[in-house]
Amino acid sequence: EGFDFLDAVRQLAESAGMAMPERTPAAQERAARVAGIRPALEAARAVFMEQLGRVASVQQYLAKRGVSQALAETFQIGLTPEGASWLDRAGIAEADALAAGLMWEADGRKGFRFRQRIMVPVHDARGRIVGFGGRVMPDAPSDLPKYINSPDSEIFDKGRILFNLHRAAPAV
C-alpha cells in the first residue's frame, strides 16, 4: 500500500489488535543522529550526477571504459565538484556532511573526503544510499589514492553491505 517500513508494521499491529512497541531512548537517540545523513547523501548524489554532465573529459574516459551515458544514469555515477561551495548549494550542513562521511575531521582540522573523484553511490538492500565509492579522475595528481570509500557510519557498515544487492536481488 506504499507505506514505509514503520508505518507498515504499525498498520499490521493495529489490524492484529497488538500495541506497537515504543522506541527505546537509545533508538530515539540513534534516529536523531542519522536524521540528516540520508538527505545529505541524496543531495550529494544529485550534485555529483549533475556535475558529471559538465566535464567532457570524464565522460570520454567513462565511454572508453564501456560506461555509456545511460549506464552512468542507471548507476547514478557522478563527479565531485571543485571547491567547498557545493555543500552550501546542495543545502548540506557541515555536521551532516561529517556524519555522512562526505567530510573528515581530525586534530581540529576539517576537509573533504572526496576530491577529484568519479563517484558511485553505495546502497543498502532496500535501495537507500548509505555511502559512496570514489575513483580518482584520470588527470588527478598521482599522490591521491586510486579508490576511496565512505567510512563506516551510523548507516554504512562496509562488512554488511553487498554492492548493488538492491538491483540484483529481484533477478535472483
Side-chain angles (χ1 to χ4, degrees):
E1 294 182 26
F3 293 126
D4 67 16
F5 178 74
L6 284 178
D7 288 337
V9 171
R10 191 172 290 113
Q11 179 72 24
L12 289 171
E14 285 177 14
S15 66
M18 298 174 64
M20 180 79 173
E22 293 298 319
R23 281 189 171 175
T24 65
Q28 290 174 348
E29 284 179 28
R30 182 182 185 281
R33 285 194 310 270
V34 303
I37 295 177
R38 285 194 206 285
L41 292 171
E42 288 290 343
R45 179 200 50 82
V47 169
F48 297 160
M49 287 181 68
E50 185 265 332
Q51 185 69 23
L52 182 64
R54 295 181 178 193
V55 183
S57 63
V58 174
Q59 291 175 341
Q60 292 167 355
Y61 168 77
L62 290 173
K64 281 196 291 186
R65 305 279 311 247
V67 179
S68 66
Q69 179 66 30
L71 194 59
E73 288 175 12
T74 297
F75 287 90
Q76 304 173 335
I77 296 172
L79 182 66
T80 54
E82 292 294 321
S85 63
W86 72 269
L87 281 175
D88 289 333
R89 286 193 319 268
I92 302 172
E94 185 177 280
D96 293 333
L98 286 164
L102 299 169
M103 292 181 68
W104 57 265
E105 182 175 30
D107 301 324
R109 298 181 358 204
K110 298 175 188 171
F112 294 101
R113 182 168 312 281
F114 303 105
R115 294 177 334 208
Q116 299 183 342
R117 303 258 167 210
I118 298 168
M119 303 297 291
V120 178
V122 177
H123 300 84
D124 64 13
R126 293 171 50 193
R128 301 173 301 179
I129 295 178
V130 294
F132 288 97
R135 187 207 189 280
V136 73
M137 292 180 4
D139 57 350
S142 61
D143 63 335
L144 293 176
K146 189 171 185 178
Y147 297 101
I148 295 178
N149 295 317
S150 291
D152 283 340
S153 71
E154 290 280 350
I155 63 170
F156 183 40
D157 180 346
K158 293 178 193 177
R160 299 189 61 127
I161 297 289
L162 182 57
F163 185 74
N164 269 318
L165 176 62
H166 70 292
R167 288 190 177 96
V172 174

